[in-house]
């Protein structure tokens, strides 16, 4: 670390341990998580506070100062678990100052999809952690060590819902899948169906499966392209923020 700036070594430290398996995800995340985290912007601006919201597998963040700031209150964060004393102080300053409908229209300054991201904590600073989207790293710092633990636990719990697949796994060939018609043949033979009718039935079954297999391959290709597009969009959003 140099002058409070994240170093490369810290950005590649070990991941935080996953939450206990006997803890239900709703007990950790509930209907969403929100609160203040400090985001590293650049060497000129340093660490800047942002309001983060974790919901439906997406971590969104908003400015809380300047012309593009949002106002947070008990109404806007209704149903969410708020992390940190500073976050609660910010909410108390704007108690009931904005309607729920206005809150639902607020546009995030950036988004990170946890499904295609990895989460790492810093070993040298017990308040810091980072999120890597595949091509870009988001450096974050909590107010306290306990706040970081709470955020890491929630982020990891959500990420564990979306086990990451490699590109090779996504694009693995499926033409080696074999479909057996033995059970179908045996059942038809019990009904004294003719051999020609049995063979026709087997051929129909194989043709239907082949068509289904083609559709699955196309879906896998679309999924791979969607994930790659999502990664590029996240990189673009983070770079311009």
């Amino acid at each position: 670390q140099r002058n409070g700036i994240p170093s490369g070594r810290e950005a590649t430290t070990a991941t935080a341990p996953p939450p206990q398996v006997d803890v239900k995800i709703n007990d950790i995340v509930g209907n969403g998580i929100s609160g203040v985290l400090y985001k590293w912007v650049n060497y000129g601006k340093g660490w800047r506070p942002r309001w983060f919201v974790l919901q439906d597998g997406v971590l969104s963040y908003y400015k809380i100062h300047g012309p593009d700031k949002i106002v947070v209150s008990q109404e806007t964060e209704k149903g969410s678990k708020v992390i940190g004393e500073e976050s609660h102080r910010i909410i108390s300053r704007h108690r009931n100052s904005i309607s729920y409908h206005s809150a639902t229209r607020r546009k995030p300054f950036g988004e990170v999809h946890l499904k295609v991201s990895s989460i790492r904590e810093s070993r040298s600073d017990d308040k810091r952690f980072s999120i890597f989207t595949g091509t870009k790293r988001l450096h974050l710092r909590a107010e306290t060590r306990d706040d970081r633990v709470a955020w890491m636990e929630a982020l990891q719990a959500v990420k564990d819902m979306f086990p990451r697949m490699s590109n090779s796994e996504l694009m693995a060939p499926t033409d080696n899948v074999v479909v057996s018609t033995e059970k179908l043949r045996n059942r038809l033979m019990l009904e004294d169906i003719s051999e020609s009718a049995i063979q026709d039935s087997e051929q129909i079954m194989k043709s239907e499966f082949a068509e289904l297999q083609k559709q699955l391959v196309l879906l896998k290709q679309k999924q791979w392209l969607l994930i790659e597009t999502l990664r590029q969009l996240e990189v673009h959003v983070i770079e311009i923020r």
Side-chain angles (χ1 to χ4, degrees), residues 112-178:
V112 173
H113 292 254
L114 296 182
K115 182 177 181 179
V116 294
S117 303
S118 59
I119 309 161
R120 299 182 184 274
E121 62 181 6
S122 169
R123 287 180 177 175
S124 62
D125 189 332
D126 59 10
K127 299 177 185 178
R128 281 175 31 200
F129 62 97
S130 62
I131 301 175
F132 186 54
T133 65
T135 53
K136 193 72 175 180
R137 190 174 299 277
L138 193 68
H139 295 279
L140 302 172
R141 190 185 72 202
E143 277 285 327
T144 67
R145 177 182 180 181
D146 289 342
D147 289 350
R148 186 185 77 165
V149 170
W151 274 108
M152 289 290 295
E153 187 179 52
L155 291 167
Q156 193 63 52
V158 172
K159 179 169 175 55
D160 287 345
M161 296 174 60
F162 309 104
R164 187 167 185 174
M165 296 179 65
S166 65
N167 290 344
S168 59
E169 289 175 315
L170 285 172
M171 300 304 295
T174 57
D175 52 7
N176 58 348
V177 178
V178 178

Side-chain angles (χ1 to χ4, degrees), residues 20-145:
Q20 297 296 320
V21 294
D22 59 341
V23 178
K24 294 181 180 179
I25 188 168
N26 282 342
D27 295 334
I28 301 174
V29 179
N31 294 323
I33 298 289
S34 61
V36 171
L37 287 171
Y38 289 83
K39 175 182 175 292
W40 175 260
V41 180
N42 54 43
Y43 285 88
K45 296 182 178 180
W47 297 94
R48 294 298 174 93
R50 300 286 186 263
W51 188 263
F52 281 78
V53 176
L54 173 60
Q55 196 166 37
D56 298 328
V58 179
L59 182 66
S60 307
Y61 58 91
Y62 308 80
K63 286 188 174 182
I64 53 177
H65 298 297
D68 298 321
K69 71 178 181 180
I70 63 165
V71 176
V72 294
S73 66
Q74 291 180 345
E75 188 67 21
T76 64
E77 308 310 308
K78 187 176 182 180
S80 295
K81 292 185 178 181
V82 179
I83 295 178
E85 293 183 3
E86 177 63 21
S87 303
H88 285 284
R89 283 195 291 268
I90 291 175
I91 289 176
S92 64
R93 294 190 202 118
H94 306 97
R95 188 169 299 172
N96 300 324
S97 62
I98 187 171
S99 68
Y100 175 76
H101 296 291
S102 297
T104 58
R105 293 196 299 267
R106 60 186 185 182
K107 186 178 180 180
F109 212 65
E111 292 182 341
V112 173
H113 292 254
L114 296 182
K115 182 177 181 179
V116 294
S117 303
S118 59
I119 309 161
R120 299 182 184 274
E121 62 181 6
S122 169
R123 287 180 177 175
S124 62
D125 189 332
D126 59 10
K127 299 177 185 178
R128 281 175 31 200
F129 62 97
S130 62
I131 301 175
F132 186 54
T133 65
T135 53
K136 193 72 175 180
R137 190 174 299 277
L138 193 68
H139 295 279
L140 302 172
R141 190 185 72 202
E143 277 285 327
T144 67
R145 177 182 180 181

